[in-house]
Amino acid sequence: MTRLFLDTETFCALGGPADLGTYRYAENAEILLVTYALDDDPVSCWDVTKSIEEQAEAEAECLDIPLTGFMPKDLSDALEDESVLVVAHHSTFDRNVLRLGNLRIDVPIERWRCTMIQALVHALPASLDGLGRTLGLPQEQQKIKEGRKLIQRFCKPAPKNHNADRYDRHTHPDEWQRFIRYAMQDVEAMREIHRRLPTWNWGEDTIAEWHLDQQINDRGFAVDRELVDAGVRAAVVERRRIAERFAQLTDGLAPTQRDKVRRFLNDTYGLGLEQTAKHVMAPIAADDSQPAEVREIAALMLAANKTSTAKYKTIRDALSSDGRFRGGLQFAGASRTRRWAGRTFQPQNLPSRGIPKPHVIEQYIEALKADCHDLLFDDLMLLGAAALRGVVIAPPGKKLVVSDLSNIEGRMLAWVAGEKWKIKAFRDYDAGTGHDLYVLAYANAFRIRPEDVTKDQRQIGKTMELGLGYGGGVGAFVTFAQAFGIDLDAMAERGRSTIPQDVLDEAANAWDWAYLNDRTQDLERDTWMVCDSFKRLWRRAHPETVNLWNGLDSAARKALKAPGRTFRAGPYLRVGVREHAGHRYLLIKLPSGRYLVYFDPMISEHNGLTYMGMGNEEGGTAKVWCRVNTYSGKICENLCQGLARDVLAANMPAIEDAGYDLILSVHDENLTEAPNDPTYSEADLSRHMATVPEWADGLPLASAGFEATRYRKG
């Protein structure tokens, strides 16, 4: 099929898309340039600003010519031709500025293709310049260095101290010509990237999923504007109060002055802190042995650094003209797993642990709207963050119907590993004839009757299930135990006598290694040994899962030594290394037909598995494109999350066909708008979501949710 490679450059007086979100930006955008090329033809540029002037001259002569009437004919014909595919990089932006901006050109979603999405589904960088560097584009086909400067010049308002409101081709004619060349360069780069991108995860099924994602983003969701406005006001007041109180306690410091605060705490209270990160300050805030002032300083730092409440302003600034929020989802935004990520509003990052009960949040929302929340509630930052879900509401005449796949990762791990006893346990639990899986996790590890598992032991079972399924050891166990409020020392004291002696002996040997290598997690010997023993008992109860980890490691190493050959891992997975456009990729074919993709895989000098991806370079905190270490457990986590995503996506078309309008997908949960009548129900939506795809025969699925007029945690 003929392809129209297209890019737009735009101006908006209100701000950039990062501040306004793509949809509100597009509504207020003026397209300056459209650069394009048909297949391998030379790149052309339509200077829309010139046509605007021509249109004004025509109107002065009483000629009614729409702006699009000045469009070059080859571009106009291609946009109107239904057989032509339109290819853009970050096409969500270009598609929406074309249809919502000053041109009002609506090219159907089904005709669009996106090189950014094609890159993301193969775990490659999202940005055009980053993608060009990764795929080895020649220097002349990468973005010219002054590109950002030119965008700053022409795509944003002029600085306030300058005479003009904005700069254009008349104020800076030479730079404008360079701006045009820069824009044309983008099309050249995009076309070459299109040639070099792999297509393993870019078949018609994936493209159809992405088109549905675009429809969901276009639909957006209704917003409680009164709550949003109240949340903005409250966040400003509360941050001011925190800053004032913090200054009183710290001799005038601000919570953002981390190094100075650390030195103040060390000098004044002798704490000996090396940093003031959340994981350091949270235990201090809850430690009754610390002075009250220290606990309050720690609590205020935690509250001041909550980013959740800032989302009220983010939502308000990004609302479309009809009051709905759009563009909250990024297709394949999570590398390798291809799961949806959040954008602008970031619905994937809403608080979920340690938040109050729904009725308390509802009371807080009503008090917040009445500006009396500070009289009735104490922890305003916590409640403000917890209430964020509530901005999503049902429009008049409709209701929200929400459902969440139950423990989908645990079920997927059992199924893909072939852990038959556990698959049966999930089925029995769903049928009402079996025990809770956290109870079974403890019972199977310690070989006791499920009926004898105590509440505290179930909590340990939950920690084992969530922390140990992907090859985690003591560190993973400790992380989850702390999240669930488990006192590890008390747990160790109670649990040691229940552990078989041979397991304790193995843990004792492991302690010696951990101590010598500084891997004790700052735990006492007995506590560390009990945590390590729980890990060993869980693995003994899950032999097929352990075999899957080992199989993935072995298959990956064999594939790296024998490119082109395929190796098995577990009952369903195939692993191989393929070369495409001069680059190597480690591919793991999933039962869904999709692939886990690892770019430029290698075995490191320390015999570890590595690949190129987004990660933290040594000593850095920002995510950058660099060499990333991985291991079989992490790969197992990637594939389970990727398969869980494929289950979610597989049932979305049927959900839409049944009359439920999808408005968000948050982790393993679907949010829909539906008519407010009994025909549409949580049970019916859950039935659709728990439909087992053909490729997942035998996978135990279950889903549950709720109906409401306001979104909440289920």
Side-chain angles (χ1 to χ4, degrees), residues 301-316:
M301 283 199 78
L302 293 169
N305 288 301
K306 274 187 180 296
T307 58
S308 301
T309 51
K311 291 184 180 181
Y312 287 107
K313 183 178 184 301
T314 300
I315 296 166
R316 185 194 65 183

Side-chain angles (χ1 to χ4, degrees), residues 21 37 39 193 266 283 316 363 409 442 475 484 499 527 631 657:
D39 290 330
I193 282 169
N266 290 344
R316 185 194 65 183
Q363 291 170 359
E409 282 192 51
Y442 190 91
F484 297 134
I499 299 171
T527 303
Y631 61 99
D657 291 344

Side-chain angles (χ1 to χ4, degrees), residues 230-547:
V232 172
R233 293 194 304 270
V236 171
V237 172
E238 183 63 8
R239 286 188 182 279
R240 186 183 304 129
R241 184 197 69 80
I242 289 172
E244 290 173 355
R245 179 57 179 159
F246 195 86
Q248 291 173 1
L249 291 168
T250 60
D251 295 340
L253 297 178
T256 54
Q257 295 175 293
R258 290 184 171 274
D259 284 341
K260 290 183 178 180
V261 172
R262 177 179 58 80
R263 287 197 294 270
F264 173 84
L265 290 171
N266 290 344
D267 294 343
T268 308
Y269 298 99
L271 293 188
L273 298 177
E274 294 183 0
Q275 56 178 308
T276 57
K278 179 181 177 181
H279 73 275
V280 174
M281 302 311 287
I284 293 175
D287 187 352
D288 291 336
S289 67
Q290 294 288 352
E293 293 83 357
V294 172
R295 297 200 305 273
E296 186 176 1
I297 290 169
L300 288 171
M301 283 199 78
L302 293 169
N305 288 301
K306 274 187 180 296
T307 58
S308 301
T309 51
K311 291 184 180 181
Y312 287 107
K313 183 178 184 301
T314 300
I315 296 166
R316 185 194 65 183
D317 292 347
L319 290 179
S320 296
S321 56
D322 63 356
R324 290 179 77 90
F325 177 91
R326 294 179 168 86
L329 293 177
Q330 175 59 63
F331 189 87
S335 292
R336 283 164 297 285
T337 67
R338 297 166 290 107
R339 295 177 110 179
W340 278 270
R343 289 294 180 265
T344 314
F345 171 45
Q346 297 286 0
Q348 316 293 338
N349 296 337
L350 295 174
S352 58
R353 285 182 183 159
I355 63 175
K357 298 291 185 184
H359 73 277
V360 175
I361 296 175
E362 190 63 39
Q363 291 170 359
Y364 172 81
I365 289 173
E366 295 306 313
L368 181 63
K369 290 181 178 182
D371 286 328
C372 64
H373 58 292
D374 55 335
L375 302 177
L376 302 176
F377 297 92
D378 293 325
D379 195 338
L380 302 184
M381 296 297 276
L382 170 66
L383 282 157
L388 266 166
R389 280 183 175 80
V391 305
V392 184
I393 58 172
K398 293 196 174 184
K399 61 184 176 182
L400 300 179
V401 186
V402 182
S403 188
D404 184 46
L405 288 167
S406 304
N407 195 2
I408 180 62
E409 282 192 51
R411 294 165 183 263
M412 189 61 73
L413 177 58
W415 178 75
V416 79
E419 205 75 73
K420 294 181 180 179
W421 72 264
K422 201 164 192 178
I423 295 171
K424 181 179 184 302
F426 277 116
R427 292 194 183 285
D428 291 345
Y429 178 74
D430 293 339
T433 60
H435 291 278
D436 173 278
L437 266 292
Y438 299 145
V439 168
L440 278 181
Y442 190 91
N444 278 6
F446 288 88
R447 300 190 179 182
I448 64 173
R449 296 191 316 156
E451 294 81 4
D452 296 333
V453 174
T454 66
K455 183 178 179 180
D456 287 343
Q457 289 169 340
R458 180 192 180 275
Q459 197 73 346
I460 293 171
K462 182 177 182 179
T463 304
M464 295 165 78
E465 278 293 285
L466 299 180
L468 303 179
Y470 299 132
V474 173
F477 186 90
V478 168
T479 297
F480 279 89
Q482 290 174 342
F484 297 134
I486 295 176
D487 184 327
L488 291 171
D489 293 326
M491 176 202 74
E493 188 174 342
R494 291 193 303 269
R496 183 182 175 94
S497 62
T498 64
I499 299 171
Q501 187 58 48
D502 65 318
V503 176
L504 281 173
D505 291 341
E506 291 177 5
N509 291 331
W511 162 264
D512 294 337
W513 178 89
Y515 184 79
L516 289 172
N517 290 276
D518 196 24
R519 301 286 292 274
T520 64
Q521 310 295 320
D522 294 324
L523 299 176
E524 296 295 329
R525 180 177 185 274
D526 283 355
T527 303
W528 190 95
M529 284 175 54
V530 169
C531 293
D532 186 73
S533 296
F534 287 168
K535 173 203 75 177
R536 294 175 186 278
L537 288 166
W538 190 91
R539 291 183 180 183
R540 285 188 181 186
H542 293 78
E544 298 305 330
T545 305
V546 175
N547 287 341

